[in-house]
Amino acid sequence: MTNSGNLIGRRTVLTGLGLGAAAIAALPTQAATSSESGKIWSSEYWTKKGDVPLWMFRKRIGAPKPSEPARPVVFFVHGSSVTSRVFDLTVPGKGEYSVMNEFARHGFDCWTMDHENYGKSGRTSGNADIASGVEDLKVAVELIARETGQNKVHFVGESSGALRAGAYAMVAPERVDRLVFAAFTYKGEGSPTLTKRAEQLAYFRSHNMRKRDRDMIRSIATRDKPGTSDPAVMEALADVEMQFGDQVPTGTYLDMTANLPVVHPEKVLAPVLLVRGEYDGIATVADLEEFYNKLPNGDRQLIILPGTAHSVALAINRQLFWHVTRAFLTMPTPIA
């Protein structure tokens, strides 16, 4: 069921955290990278969704200390074909590619997780669709609240990770601070990527897992506009992803080809930043504008990043994504 090995046995179970969540494992299972001031500290955590163990990861400057002021929490939500490693990638000789490192240096308490059937998290017979991802986020946020004292969390989701974050925001608005949806799609109308993907709809309906090899990972950066991501970066991503095998769930692909919309703008109450790569084929500008215009919160932005495609987190111009996201998450509170 899971490849987590004896780490599961080292969990400490905490109960009574609300939302009907499963018991939470809150003790880190990995030593800190560094506890010295100014250096990035990291730790692994485990939580459970029912019987499914879910792996979580955290980075911030310095180890947590008792009674210190809480830092703003940002949770990075991964997409359909990759794990949370996409947010913490090391590419020797290519500069910084870890968005978690970048935001930790700017004072954020950064978290991410592997969703059910991804990475180190537990394996089940399910297809890990958007609804399943929402349940993952419910128990993850409960653990974060216990560890950080923060009851509201910023979310940054990429591709179907943005759909997971948006669907969670609809059901738990009291736990959401600000939302960043990168490579988001609303209804999918006019999307060349989803039109092509829909050719396999019968397969997605009848299978819970699909093939995800190195070529597929490379194609994330080349299918829209070759040259918007460094090929060496995608090779590095493939290296870390293939350790988890060549199969990933079909659930988010099924949702994106047959069940859109899964995020209804009228029900998303938090401030929203929509980030689209100039060449992204997952959604048209018109699709995003329709979503944007229906959002009830006047604190909202739609930004198109030049020279980028679907993978804004790993783009050559990724600093543009960092900049607009950080600016949005640090916006002063409007005076009513």
Short mmCIF file of all heavy atoms in Angstrom, two decimals, residues 12-18 21-26 142 146:
data_model
loop_
_atom_site.label_atom_id
_atom_site.label_comp_id
_atom_site.label_asym_id
_atom_site.label_seq_id
_atom_site.Cartn_x
_atom_site.Cartn_y
_atom_site.Cartn_z
N THR A 12 3.72 9.87 15.68
CA THR A 12 3.00 10.08 16.93
C THR A 12 1.61 10.55 16.56
O THR A 12 1.46 11.52 15.82
CB THR A 12 3.69 11.15 17.79
OG1 THR A 12 4.98 10.67 18.15
CG2 THR A 12 2.88 11.43 19.04
N VAL A 13 0.59 9.86 17.03
CA VAL A 13 -0.77 10.15 16.60
C VAL A 13 -1.40 11.20 17.50
O VAL A 13 -1.34 11.11 18.72
CB VAL A 13 -1.61 8.86 16.62
CG1 VAL A 13 -3.04 9.16 16.26
CG2 VAL A 13 -1.02 7.84 15.64
N LEU A 14 -2.01 12.19 16.88
CA LEU A 14 -2.73 13.25 17.59
C LEU A 14 -4.17 13.22 17.13
O LEU A 14 -4.45 13.06 15.95
CB LEU A 14 -2.11 14.61 17.27
CG LEU A 14 -0.61 14.75 17.56
CD1 LEU A 14 -0.12 16.09 17.05
CD2 LEU A 14 -0.36 14.64 19.05
N THR A 15 -5.10 13.37 18.05
CA THR A 15 -6.51 13.28 17.70
C THR A 15 -7.23 14.55 18.07
O THR A 15 -6.70 15.44 18.70
CB THR A 15 -7.16 12.08 18.43
OG1 THR A 15 -6.99 12.28 19.83
CG2 THR A 15 -6.53 10.77 18.02
N GLY A 16 -8.50 14.60 17.64
CA GLY A 16 -9.36 15.69 18.04
C GLY A 16 -9.06 17.00 17.37
O GLY A 16 -9.24 18.06 17.96
N LEU A 17 -8.61 16.99 16.11
CA LEU A 17 -8.25 18.23 15.45
C LEU A 17 -9.36 18.78 14.58
O LEU A 17 -9.15 19.73 13.84
CB LEU A 17 -6.99 18.01 14.60
CG LEU A 17 -5.75 17.65 15.41
CD1 LEU A 17 -4.54 17.58 14.50
CD2 LEU A 17 -5.50 18.66 16.51
N GLY A 18 -10.54 18.19 14.60
CA GLY A 18 -11.67 18.79 13.91
C GLY A 18 -11.77 18.41 12.46
O GLY A 18 -10.96 17.68 11.92
N ALA A 21 -11.31 14.94 10.45
CA ALA A 21 -10.09 14.44 9.84
C ALA A 21 -9.62 13.19 10.56
O ALA A 21 -9.93 12.94 11.72
CB ALA A 21 -8.99 15.49 9.89
N ALA A 22 -8.82 12.41 9.84
CA ALA A 22 -8.19 11.26 10.45
C ALA A 22 -7.13 11.74 11.43
O ALA A 22 -6.76 12.90 11.47
CB ALA A 22 -7.55 10.39 9.36
N ALA A 23 -6.64 10.82 12.23
CA ALA A 23 -5.58 11.16 13.18
C ALA A 23 -4.37 11.72 12.43
O ALA A 23 -4.06 11.31 11.32
CB ALA A 23 -5.16 9.91 13.96
N ILE A 24 -3.69 12.66 13.07
CA ILE A 24 -2.60 13.38 12.43
C ILE A 24 -1.27 12.96 13.04
O ILE A 24 -1.15 12.83 14.25
CB ILE A 24 -2.79 14.89 12.61
CG1 ILE A 24 -4.14 15.33 12.06
CG2 ILE A 24 -1.67 15.68 11.95
CD1 ILE A 24 -4.32 15.11 10.59
N ALA A 25 -0.26 12.79 12.20
CA ALA A 25 1.09 12.51 12.68
C ALA A 25 1.90 13.77 12.60
O ALA A 25 2.10 14.31 11.53
CB ALA A 25 1.72 11.42 11.81
N ALA A 26 2.37 14.28 13.72
CA ALA A 26 2.96 15.60 13.72
C ALA A 26 4.45 15.64 14.01
O ALA A 26 5.05 16.68 13.89
CB ALA A 26 2.25 16.49 14.73
N GLU A 142 -4.81 20.64 8.86
CA GLU A 142 -4.92 20.41 10.31
C GLU A 142 -3.56 20.20 10.94
O GLU A 142 -3.27 20.71 12.03
CB GLU A 142 -5.84 19.21 10.57
CG GLU A 142 -7.30 19.47 10.27
CD GLU A 142 -7.84 20.64 11.07
OE1 GLU A 142 -7.61 20.71 12.30
OE2 GLU A 142 -8.49 21.51 10.46
N ARG A 146 -1.58 22.78 13.71
CA ARG A 146 -1.03 22.31 14.98
C ARG A 146 0.45 22.66 15.09
O ARG A 146 0.94 23.06 16.16
CB ARG A 146 -1.20 20.80 15.08
CG ARG A 146 -0.60 20.21 16.34
CD ARG A 146 -1.59 19.37 17.06
NE ARG A 146 -1.09 18.95 18.35
CZ ARG A 146 -1.88 18.71 19.39
NH1 ARG A 146 -3.17 18.89 19.27
NH2 ARG A 146 -1.39 18.28 20.52
#
